[in-house]
Amino acid sequence: MADDRSREGTETAVAEFHKKIKEAFEVFDHESNNTVDVREIGTIIRSLGCCPSEGELHDLIAEVEEEEPTGYIRFEKFLPVMTEVLLERRYRPIPEDILLRAFEVLDPAKRGFLSKEELIKYMTEEGEPFSQEEMEEMLSAAVDPESNSIHFKDYITMMVIDEN
Amino acid sequence: MGSGASTQHHFAFQNAEKAFKAAALIQRWYRRYMARLEMRRHCTWSIFQSIEYAGQQDQVKLHNFFSYLVDHFTPSSHNERDFLNRMFTEERSPRDSEMENCRDYESIEVLDSYTGPRLSFPLLPDHATALVEAFRVKQRLHARYVLNLLYEARKHLVQLPNINRVSTCYSEEITVCGDLHGQLDDLIFIFYKNGLPSPERAYVFNGDFVDRGKDSVEILMVLFAFMLVYPKEFHLNRGNHEDHMVNLRYGFTKEVMHKYKTHGKKILKLLQDVFCWLPLATLVDEKVLILHGGVSDMTDLEFLAKLDRHKIVSTMRCKTRKEHKKQAEKGKANQTSSAGRPSPWFLPQSRSPPTSPLRPSSQKAHRAGRSSSVPCRVPLDPNELSHWARHSMDLELERCRQQAGFPVIKEKEEPLPLASEADPEAEGGPEPTQEAWRQVVDILWSDPMAQAGCKANTVRGGGCYFGPNVTERLLQKYNLQFLIRSHECKPEGYEFCHGRKVLTIFSASNYYEVGSNRGAYVKLGPALTPHIVQFQANKATHTLTMRQRISRVGESALRALHEKLFAHSSDLLVEFKKHDKDKTGLITLSDWAAAVESVLHLGLPWRMLRPQLVSSLTDNKLEYKSWLKNLAKEQFSHENIQSSLLEALYRNRSNLETIFRIIDSDHSGFISLDEFRQTWKLFSSHMNIDVTDDCICDLARSIDFNKDGHIDINEFLEAFRLVEQSCSKGYASDC
């Protein structure tokens, strides 16, 4: 009995995931032929609630690409893979406090802020480096023009409110 | 040995690793944030596009309304018959001799107190430049000069061929601009950034100069002025909005009447004529074809070059010649007996045949970033039907109209030659041929699509969707390199498609809202390689971060969406209840999304939008009744008006406004209480809106603010916050 109920629960969850995935996919299906440009897959996956790293994203793309990559991803291939990802709750988003700690690691002197240069250095030289465009966009919102620094606690709060 | 050193190394390594990981985490988080913004941007765009095109589908509803009137409504009084006649007949279009009489602008006096720009003819380049400057500082051109300029413009336009031929030998560069839609700031910006027109700097403006924006008059004045000053280098193409019927709905008529209360009507009449003298297309070096909408699989450039474009007064109706009636009667055996209904003169004749019930289908016709819903008339097999429709439908409609003894357009009945339809030369009558009208509608209304083929453009109700093969065939047939067209708003202001053989160029930046899209123009050098320049004519947007820009546009889109949701409250309630069989008052979010889509048919990603539309949840479920109530609270200011009535008004406002303006044939801006009541009574009974007579009377009376028995259309719409944002800025009175 319990098995039936839990199976039913999973089925409903899967059905719901399918609808969500389809919706997100269709936003980028410009030719209405159930394909999207591979360059948009990252956006789609991330807007479905996942937070993969670039490396993880590349792995995912490899799973959904054609044998001979065409530059397009087909929905038929994307759906089952993405459903699994959602069911397994992979690539969970980063909680606010973990994010704060990450900034604090980069600020060992515990000043409560990072200078613009420091942020640029970390974001473009460490981890999975930003492109120039990404860096500029982040700076435009994060930097306090008077002090030329990023007060990361406030920054995080602002971004989080914004999302909701 | 350095165990100390290795410990230091160890720590250093650990710290470096920590920093690396921390950075990676921040980047990962940030990229997700940006992705969500990007998704929101796309969704916002979808909202605007689907609402815009849903508005165009209103045309179809209007068509149905009038068909309904014809079929079911028997006027019971002299008044009612008069009223109906007003809706179904029109003033005769101006004849050439009457045009001569328009020189009576000379009798209009310009007072000494007038401080605006003054024009004298022939115009000199300085005059045109001064005009731009005057408008930039918000001056208004006196009606006399407006009429004078229009009169001179008409004289010039009459001499131009249907397809204007331009060569890059003479001017060094040609700049092509797309839709401006009354946004003067964009025009000024283009001239500022690209330079004013000159013998070395040719311009082509590809239609849709007017409607929607608030400075359509000024844009026209500038464009016509430069056209007169540089006739060889400055070119205009007609767009689907250069059409007095479209102007009734989309704001240009309103703008003219507001700015020129005394002489507005004269101006509108002259404009009606000037518009149909605009050339249909421009051809650069025999290689690049520039036209407003697109092409169809039937587009025939030679035919287009020869037809009498002046006869196509409006693409919103086609008065066909009598011999088609004869042909129809001959070919009766071949026609299916469709429920062909008489078609009022001012509504677009859709390619698809009428199908009975008004159930919008959920079939996806063509998306490409716009609504996936299809209006009432869904062709069963688009390709087949479009060919069929082309030949028989309009003949059938014409025949039915005549049969119904309908008080339709009766021009002077001239003895028509018995020439066959295939001979376009023998156009003795005042009306265009069926084919001529078709060809023009196609190039003014069509949109490109990704799929091959050519099918009826059901979203717009006119023209078609044309695929890459259609483009290819046309380019090959006429030995052309590529097509430049406009007609569709694009986020970047331009878009290539069909393997870069079709370029859409759109010059009205911030079209939906500040920050919604860029505008663009394209320069063609002697090699004819297109060079695109983008812009956004609002300094404020440059200082906003992407986040702020997206959220601002998003808010605006959401407001529009809220209004749409409110307008369908009753239907939504019914739909929600279906998902709540146990009457708990709650439904799941999944059910909410399904219900909303089934009512609104906007083809939007409701699950993605849900967080912005539904805020409070109980147990992850929605209390739908209070959600609907909240929607209502946001919308109306008149507590005493029955909410379902309000809903109905909101839902049908654009059609109501159009009907009012049609009734208000002298463009006074007023209709009588009686007319209002009659209109509303007819309309609501057709739309199955349940309102009592008393309610209508109350409504009418409450709107007649100064109790003089007349309703100011704009006040009426304003009272229910139905007026578009741009108009709320108001206009100064005329000169």
Side-chain angles (χ1 to χ4, degrees):
Chain A
M1 278 305 208
D3 262 349
D4 283 344
R5 238 180 288 139
S6 81
R7 203 187 313 136
E8 203 186 284
T10 319
E11 278 168 10
T12 325
V14 168
E16 193 47 37
F17 284 153
H18 280 184
K19 286 194 201 136
K20 277 196 174 136
I21 295 169
K22 186 162 190 288
E23 234 189 36
F25 195 88
E26 278 176 356
V27 172
F28 291 95
D29 179 14
H30 301 300
E31 297 180 15
S32 304
N33 59 359
N34 292 323
T35 65
V36 303
D37 192 316
V38 66
R39 291 167 291 187
E40 320 259 41
I41 285 289
T43 308
I44 296 174
I45 294 174
R46 285 169 172 137
S47 61
L48 283 167
C50 302
C51 196
S53 67
E54 291 289 286
E56 288 165 333
L57 187 60
H58 283 133
D59 291 340
L60 261 177
I61 290 178
E63 264 187 77
V64 298
E65 253 179 345
E66 305 295 317
E67 300 277 313
E68 304 268 335
T70 59
Y72 287 94
I73 305 296
R74 285 187 301 122
F75 183 64
E76 300 82 56
K77 282 203 113 173
F78 183 69
L79 183 65
V81 173
M82 196 63 218
T83 310
E84 270 309 297
V85 167
L86 291 180
L87 275 172
E88 291 171 12
R89 299 169 64 77
R90 265 191 262 164
Y91 318 125
R92 294 273 82 212
I94 298 159
E96 217 177 305
D97 55 333
I98 307 279
L99 184 60
L100 181 59
R101 254 191 274 159
F103 274 102
E104 286 169 350
V105 163
L106 302 180
D107 173 33
K110 297 200 195 304
R111 300 159 297 174
F113 65 85
L114 289 175
S115 76
K116 183 173 158 189
E117 292 70 36
E118 283 171 340
L119 185 67
I120 293 177
K121 183 173 84 102
Y122 282 122
M123 293 293 103
T124 58
E125 292 176 21
E126 302 283 349
E128 292 174 320
F130 273 172
S131 68
Q132 190 179 351
E133 214 184 305
E134 284 175 310
M135 193 68 248
E136 276 169 16
E137 181 54 46
M138 184 185 201
L139 289 173
S140 70
V143 174
D144 165 29
E146 278 173 34
S147 60
N148 234 17
S149 63
I150 295 91
H151 294 266
F152 42 82
K153 197 142 193 268
D154 295 334
Y155 174 58
I156 293 172
T157 315
M158 173 184 78
M159 298 287 264
V160 165
I161 289 178
D162 209 45
E163 287 221 287
N164 303 333
Chain B
M1 223 165 0
S3 67
S6 80
T7 322
Q8 268 176 8
H9 264 295
H10 183 63
F11 274 130
F13 179 73
Q14 264 196 336
N15 285 340
E17 204 188 333
K18 270 170 62 184
F20 183 93
K21 281 192 174 149
L25 196 125
I26 294 170
Q27 288 152 345
R28 182 157 67 101
W29 161 80
Y30 184 78
R31 284 176 170 129
R32 173 158 183 261
Y33 176 82
M34 292 309 287
R36 292 179 73 181
L37 266 192
E38 181 68 15
M39 180 57 96
R40 198 188 296 185
R41 186 174 74 80
H42 271 86
C43 290
T44 301
W45 187 259
S46 298
I47 295 176
F48 280 130
Q49 293 246 289
S50 69
I51 289 182
E52 172 173 11
Y53 292 113
Q56 296 192 326
Q57 290 162 18
D58 274 351
Q59 302 278 41
V60 185
K61 287 201 198 125
L62 199 57
H63 192 160
N64 295 337
F65 169 52
F66 285 106
S67 304
Y68 162 83
L69 280 185
V70 168
D71 284 351
H72 299 290
F73 185 67
T74 321
S76 56
S77 70
H78 183 63
N79 269 346
E80 282 182 336
R81 180 161 275 284
D82 267 350
F83 177 69
L84 256 197
N85 283 352
R86 276 264 284 285
M87 284 204 262
F88 289 104
T89 48
E90 65 152 335
E91 305 165 41
R92 285 164 43 235
S93 25
R95 293 262 148 268
D96 284 324
S97 54
E98 282 179 22
M99 278 300 106
E100 291 304 310
N101 293 337
C102 280
R103 293 197 73 147
D104 59 6
Y105 63 77
E106 282 169 0
S107 62
I108 300 176
E109 203 192 322
V110 180
L111 300 173
D112 287 335
S113 54
Y114 169 71
T115 53
R118 290 166 189 262
L119 302 177
S120 63
F121 294 84
L123 273 185
L124 296 172
D126 282 348
H127 293 149
T129 315
L131 201 57
V132 179
E133 186 52 32
F135 290 151
R136 195 181 66 83
V137 298
K138 314 267 185 260
Q139 288 183 341
R140 176 136 329 136
L141 187 63
H142 195 282
R144 183 210 166 104
Y145 299 123
V146 172
L147 287 166
N148 200 349
L149 182 50
L150 287 177
Y151 176 73
E152 293 295 321
R154 183 187 178 276
K155 270 203 309 198
H156 169 76
L157 289 170
V158 165
Q159 302 165 344
L160 296 177
N162 295 349
I163 301 182
N164 236 336
R165 282 173 152 80
V166 173
S167 171
T168 51
C169 304
Y170 303 116
S171 359
E172 282 153 20
E173 55 177 49
I174 294 185
T175 304
V176 182
C177 302
D179 295 26
L180 285 170
H181 280 304
Q183 298 187 186
L184 184 63
D185 286 344
D186 287 308
L187 180 58
I188 291 179
F189 188 87
I190 293 172
F191 283 161
Y192 164 72
K193 181 147 185 178
N194 193 48
L196 289 168
S198 73
E200 293 78 41
R201 193 174 293 115
Y203 273 94
V204 178
F205 281 86
N206 199 14
D208 277 12
F209 321 122
V210 301
D211 278 333
R212 298 191 199 272
K214 59 179 181 57
D215 295 316
S216 302
V217 173
E218 284 72 26
I219 287 194
L220 276 186
M221 295 296 102
V222 169
L223 294 179
F224 286 144
F226 277 112
M227 182 184 74
L228 291 172
V229 167
Y230 297 117
K232 292 215 169 55
E233 295 85 16
F234 199 87
H235 309 279
L236 303 176
N237 286 342
R238 189 177 186 183
N240 61 306
H241 277 260
E242 274 67 58
D243 182 327
H244 71 290
M245 287 314 314
V246 177
N247 300 150
L248 270 178
R249 179 186 282 273
Y250 289 104
F252 182 46
T253 309
K254 189 172 15 179
E255 182 191 324
V256 172
M257 291 314 300
H258 254 101
K259 289 179 175 172
Y260 296 99
K261 289 187 169 56
T262 321
H263 301 285
K265 191 169 179 211
K266 223 179 282 179
I267 293 175
L268 286 172
K269 213 163 170 75
L270 184 45
L271 269 168
Q272 187 180 319
D273 197 55
V274 170
F275 281 162
C276 44
W277 275 116
L278 285 166
L280 299 172
T282 300
L283 188 56
V284 179
D285 287 351
E286 306 292 316
K287 285 284 164 215
V288 179
L289 183 61
I290 308 173
L291 34 72
H292 180 74
V295 297
S296 77
D297 53 357
M298 309 276 273
T299 296
D300 180 341
L301 291 184
E302 283 135 358
F303 182 81
L304 275 167
K306 292 203 211 117
L307 60 81
D308 188 346
R309 69 180 189 272
H310 184 224
K311 287 188 183 158
I312 320 277
V313 180
S314 167
T315 51
M316 301 286 270
R317 48 110 161 115
C318 173
K319 300 189 276 186
T320 58
R321 288 158 63 187
K322 263 190 149 176
E323 51 206 60
H324 288 187
K325 176 184 171 191
K326 289 193 185 131
Q327 276 199 328
E329 279 166 344
K330 269 191 232 153
K332 232 202 284 188
N334 302 333
Q335 288 165 5
T336 51
S337 61
S338 76
R341 288 172 170 167
S343 168
W345 54 275
F346 47 71
L347 295 169
Q349 311 218 337
S350 157
R351 277 157 182 242
S352 31
T355 55
S356 29
L358 301 175
R359 293 254 122 229
S361 111
S362 55
Q363 178 191 344
K364 282 186 187 173
H366 166 66
R367 242 180 341 112
R370 73 165 74 99
S371 163
S372 64
S373 60
V374 166
C376 321
R377 307 191 161 188
V378 180
L380 299 163
D381 175 356
N383 285 321
E384 216 178 64
L385 248 29
S386 106
H387 283 297
W388 179 86
R390 214 182 293 272
H391 292 285
S392 7
M393 214 236 342
D394 289 300
L395 304 181
E396 178 72 23
L397 285 178
E398 178 64 25
R399 187 174 66 83
C400 290
R401 192 191 309 162
Q402 310 269 353
Q403 268 188 354
F406 211 73
V408 163
I409 349 98
K410 264 325 168 213
E411 294 263 338
K412 296 182 267 203
E413 305 235 330
E414 298 173 36
L416 294 159
L418 284 171
S420 69
E421 186 189 343
D423 180 7
E425 309 285 349
E427 288 187 18
E431 296 129 351
T433 59
Q434 190 74 355
E435 189 57 26
W437 183 82
R438 264 279 179 278
Q439 291 274 341
V440 174
V441 169
D442 278 350
I443 62 173
L444 258 36
W445 285 84
S446 301
D447 295 310
M449 64 173 175
Q451 300 86 350
C454 186
K455 60 186 188 192
N457 192 326
T458 45
V459 171
R460 295 205 194 250
C464 69
Y465 291 120
F466 62 99
N469 56 328
V470 176
T471 301
E472 189 56 40
R473 211 169 346 127
L474 186 111
L475 293 179
Q476 274 189 15
K477 181 173 176 192
Y478 297 107
N479 208 3
L480 305 169
Q481 265 175 30
F482 63 97
L483 223 63
I484 299 180
R485 45 88 64 175
S486 304
H487 199 40
E488 285 181 288
C489 182
K490 298 291 177 190
E492 293 299 315
Y494 76 98
E495 191 175 273
F496 281 101
C497 67
H498 293 189
R500 289 183 81 92
K501 297 280 173 67
V502 174
L503 168 63
T504 301
I505 197 86
F506 193 86
S507 303
S509 67
N510 306 320
Y511 180 60
Y512 292 124
E513 170 61 76
V514 173
S516 68
N517 65 290
R518 291 195 164 105
Y521 55 86
V522 58
K523 297 163 79 86
L524 301 174
L528 294 180
T529 4
H531 168 62
I532 315 268
V533 178
Q534 295 171 292
F535 59 90
Q536 206 151 6
N538 185 319
K539 289 198 201 98
T541 53
H542 292 295
T543 59
L544 297 174
T545 61
M546 175 149 101
R547 177 179 65 90
Q548 287 166 321
R549 239 181 295 137
I550 289 178
S551 82
R552 234 178 121 168
V553 184
E555 272 161 30
S556 176
L558 284 176
R559 252 179 282 130
L561 206 50
H562 276 167
E563 197 190 283
K564 259 237 158 350
L565 287 166
F566 165 71
H568 290 86
S569 302
S570 313
D571 288 339
L572 283 171
L573 185 60
V574 167
E575 218 34 56
F576 289 153
K577 283 189 173 153
K578 284 191 200 156
H579 289 275
D580 180 24
K581 298 249 158 66
D582 299 335
K583 298 207 200 325
T584 58
L586 300 166
I587 51 171
T588 65
L589 292 173
S590 178
D591 289 338
W592 172 85
V596 172
E597 177 56 26
S598 78
V599 170
L600 285 181
H601 294 282
L602 289 174
L604 291 174
W606 294 107
R607 283 171 186 77
M608 307 237 106
L609 295 169
R610 199 268 313 155
Q612 292 159 295
L613 294 171
V614 174
S615 44
S616 60
L617 298 169
T618 322
D619 271 344
N620 237 10
K621 285 191 170 186
L622 170 67
E623 255 193 271
Y624 52 89
K625 283 194 192 133
S626 55
W627 180 72
L628 285 171
K629 240 190 228 131
N630 280 335
L631 278 180
K633 276 203 201 110
E634 283 169 19
Q635 296 303 326
F636 58 91
S637 50
H638 278 240
E639 301 284 324
N640 55 330
I641 307 294
Q642 188 191 5
S643 70
S644 64
L645 179 56
L646 210 54
E647 235 187 270
L649 284 171
Y650 264 86
R651 204 161 47 239
N652 298 291
R653 60 144 148 153
S654 107
N655 278 340
L656 278 177
E657 188 183 345
T658 309
I659 295 172
F660 289 153
R661 292 197 188 282
I662 291 169
I663 294 169
D664 175 28
S665 49
D666 62 357
H667 301 298
S668 64
F670 289 91
I671 59 170
S672 75
L673 274 182
D674 213 41
E675 285 164 339
F676 174 80
R677 256 205 331 268
Q678 280 176 333
T679 306
W680 186 241
K681 196 166 103 182
L682 288 172
F683 198 74
S684 56
S685 78
H686 163 68
M687 303 296 276
N688 287 323
I689 301 164
D690 189 19
V691 246
T692 62
D693 256 359
D694 280 344
C695 219
I696 298 177
C697 289
D698 280 342
L699 176 64
R701 252 173 302 190
S702 76
I703 294 167
D704 177 15
F705 297 120
N706 55 1
K707 307 296 166 220
D708 67 349
H710 278 87
I711 292 173
D712 180 324
I713 300 174
N714 291 316
E715 277 184 340
F716 162 67
L717 296 171
E718 179 78 52
F720 293 94
R721 282 205 264 151
L722 300 182
V723 175
E724 307 281 340
Q725 270 179 339
S726 58
C727 297
S728 61
K729 288 184 190 140
Y731 300 113
S733 57
D734 69 337
C735 320

